[in-house]
Amino acid sequence: MIGLNIKQSMAGRWFFVVISTFTNIGPMLLYLAGGLLIMKYDSTITVGDISVMVALLTRMYGPVNSLLNVQVDWMRSMALFTRIFEYLDMKSEIEEISQPKHIDKPEGNIVFDHVNFHYEPERPILKDISFELKPGKSIAIVGPSGSGKSTIINLIPRLYDVIGGSVSVDGVDVRELCLSELRNMIGIVSQETYLFNGTIRDNLLYVKEDATDEEMIEACRKANIYDFVMDQEKGLDTMVGNRGLKLSGGEKQRISIARILLKDPTVFIFDEATSALDSISENKIQEAIDPIIRSKTSILIAHRLSTILAADEIIVIKDGTIAERGTHKELVRAGGVYQELYETQFNKNETPADIDLTGAVIAHEE
Ligand SMILES: Nc1ncnc2c1ncn2[C@@H]1O[C@H](COP(=O)(O)OP(=O)(O)OP(=O)(O)O)[C@@H](O)[C@H]1O
Ligand SMILES: [Mg+2]
């Protein structure tokens, strides 16, 4: 990167040195030559003629300068482009096999079978993770920060491949599946919502090119972002800024929920943000995802009790292994990692009236 910067700023330096030397020396030489001519040889040349020549010369520098600048710009762009092309030429680590399998009727049955994983060999991240997510059900993954929760979900759309064991969807190992089909089946609202620089509309159309305005509005309504969109002067055509910079964390997440609703994937994955949102914003997100969790096969990485309670089963990850699993009630009673997390983290934002500390959840029991 430093090399690139140096290359970029060095390109053209030499041109500028030469050009500015000429701009300064040029008129001097003309005056000198003119003066000598008048004195020694040809007295028909006047001082006026020479002044005109000098004036013309300086006017010529402008265009010549811009012409030379083209060359400098070209060199600078090439320095950048080489870098971009190097990046494009990089081979993807995840490759589709030559004859990928297809799933006719995706159901969203996800099985982790003794999965081991590391980013760097000396530091194992996941150790012997096994669980099954049945179609229509939902699993909440909880655990301390850095325990490997996001890593688990990254393995499903094959952002990385497992080192040992396997991840399969509807009975087919993900490594044998058609990649685009696999990724189409899965909708992820990630911890760090990614929006690209464009309008809200562009960001929504990205998942479904042919979505109509009605569909988009419906999705925004369900994702609880409709009022916000309508409050904007330009509505759906509001620019979100680079990486969604002009929106708050909660607004970004709700737009990405609207995206998921448009995409309507078989499996819904929600990696809940750890960063604190205010409770109004959290409630809006909760309201938006609750119906999705109920209607779709989902995996939720949860930090808030209300999200955890929406799931059918809870898996507690600690140091890359499954430490405990069960329902909220069972886990609180067991008095292990979950109970500790529950007391220190989960119930911070919930109203105490909702929860009876023996583990019976009054408001959410159906
Ligand atoms: N791309 C990567 N390269 C190397 N190490 C990574 C990478 N991504 C994550 N890690 C490491 O893997 C471990 C697990 O990370 P992961 O993101 O799965 O944690 P998490 O349980 O989702 O945490 P949080 O609750 O804070 O989101 C961490 O120690 C992290 O430093
Ligand atoms: Mg995470």
Side-chain angles (χ1 to χ4, degrees):
M1 203 56 217
I2 296 172
L4 177 69
N5 277 333
I6 294 177
K7 220 163 146 186
Q8 224 197 74
S9 24
M10 281 316 284
R13 286 278 174 244
W14 288 113
F15 282 108
F16 288 123
V17 170
V18 174
I19 298 267
S20 43
T21 319
F22 269 104
T23 355
N24 292 320
I25 294 183
M28 230 171 68
L29 286 178
L30 259 181
Y31 281 127
L32 184 72
L36 287 176
L37 269 177
I38 294 176
M39 288 192 298
K40 293 229 162 124
Y41 307 101
D42 191 348
S43 51
T44 55
I45 297 178
T46 62
V47 178
D49 291 337
I50 295 167
S51 308
V52 168
M53 286 301 285
V54 171
L56 282 178
L57 181 77
T58 26
R59 291 199 65 169
M60 202 185 69
Y61 282 135
V64 169
N65 212 344
S66 347
L67 253 171
L68 287 174
N69 263 328
V70 171
Q71 160 88 1
V72 174
D73 283 346
W74 166 261
M75 275 170 72
R76 281 201 180 151
S77 316
M78 278 322 279
L80 266 175
F81 273 127
T82 333
R83 175 86 184 179
I84 293 173
F85 285 132
E86 267 170 24
Y87 187 75
L88 288 179
D89 285 344
M90 250 158 63
K91 246 178 105 185
S92 160
E93 282 169 33
I94 303 292
E95 296 220 332
E96 197 173 84
I97 58 165
S98 55
Q99 275 173 338
K101 293 188 180 158
H102 301 274
I103 298 174
D104 293 334
K105 268 202 207 124
E107 292 197 305
N109 183 336
I110 295 178
V111 177
F112 272 64
D113 187 24
H114 300 285
V115 169
N116 290 308
F117 180 78
H118 59 232
Y119 293 102
E120 294 126 14
E122 61 278 10
R123 211 174 135 227
I125 303 286
L126 299 179
K127 289 163 255 171
D128 200 27
I129 300 278
S130 296
F131 67 87
E132 177 176 8
L133 173 62
K134 295 227 164 70
K137 296 283 179 194
S138 50
I139 283 183
I141 301 179
V142 302
S145 181
S147 53
K149 303 181 298 295
S150 301
T151 307
I152 293 184
I153 57 162
N154 285 345
L155 298 176
I156 305 173
R158 271 190 89 194
L159 299 186
Y160 297 92
D161 271 340
V162 297
I163 306 291
S166 68
V167 176
S168 53
V169 174
D170 291 344
V172 186
D173 191 316
V174 287
R175 285 166 291 188
E176 292 171 5
L177 266 175
C178 163
L179 252 190
S180 56
E181 209 170 282
L182 171 69
R183 289 179 181 169
N184 267 332
M185 276 176 70
I186 298 163
I188 302 186
V189 175
S190 62
Q191 219 164 357
E192 310 271 321
T193 314
Y194 186 81
L195 297 182
F196 55 83
N197 196 1
T199 62
I200 296 179
R201 184 193 301 278
D202 296 336
N203 273 284
L204 291 177
L205 286 178
Y206 171 70
V207 294
K208 191 178 178 198
E209 278 171 40
D210 56 352
T212 61
D213 270 25
E214 287 74 47
E215 282 174 305
M216 281 190 265
I217 288 171
E218 179 63 20
C220 289
R221 225 190 270 278
K222 284 192 184 152
N224 251 333
I225 188 76
Y226 180 72
D227 291 344
F228 169 82
V229 173
M230 287 305 124
D231 277 348
Q232 306 300 305
E233 223 172 278
K234 293 188 182 156
L236 282 173
D237 295 310
T238 309
M239 295 294 287
V240 299
N242 212 354
R243 286 181 159 250
L245 177 92
K246 293 181 186 160
L247 306 179
S248 78
E251 285 154 4
K252 268 190 280 191
Q253 266 206 330
R254 278 179 283 149
I255 289 190
S256 74
I257 293 172
R259 247 190 206 169
I260 299 292
L261 287 163
L262 267 183
K263 183 175 176 183
D264 195 24
T266 316
V267 181
F268 171 58
I269 297 177
F270 182 45
D271 196 345
E272 196 164 67
T274 19
S275 60
L277 295 172
D278 63 85
S279 52
I280 298 178
S281 198
E282 287 199 344
N283 285 342
K284 282 187 179 160
I285 291 177
Q286 198 65 42
E287 269 174 38
I289 64 159
D290 262 358
I292 312 182
I293 299 175
R294 282 179 215 290
S295 62
K296 283 199 182 303
T297 314
S298 4
I299 298 186
L300 317 158
I301 296 184
H303 301 285
R304 276 174 292 135
L305 191 56
S306 41
T307 318
I308 300 173
L309 293 173
D312 297 300
E313 193 191 3
I314 301 166
I315 291 181
V316 186
I317 303 288
K318 195 176 178 220
D319 301 329
T321 55
I322 297 185
E324 296 165 18
R325 60 201 299 171
T327 62
H328 175 75
K329 250 190 217 174
E330 290 164 6
L331 292 176
V332 172
R333 286 216 189 99
V337 189
Y338 182 82
Q339 206 243 350
E340 207 173 293
L341 281 170
Y342 170 61
E343 297 207 327
T344 53
Q345 278 187 22
F346 304 154
N347 52 352
K348 263 190 292 192
N349 304 321
E350 325 281 330
T351 49
D354 271 5
I355 300 140
D356 155 6
L357 269 178
T358 56
V361 180
I362 302 157
H364 299 272
E365 210 91 13
E366 280 167 318

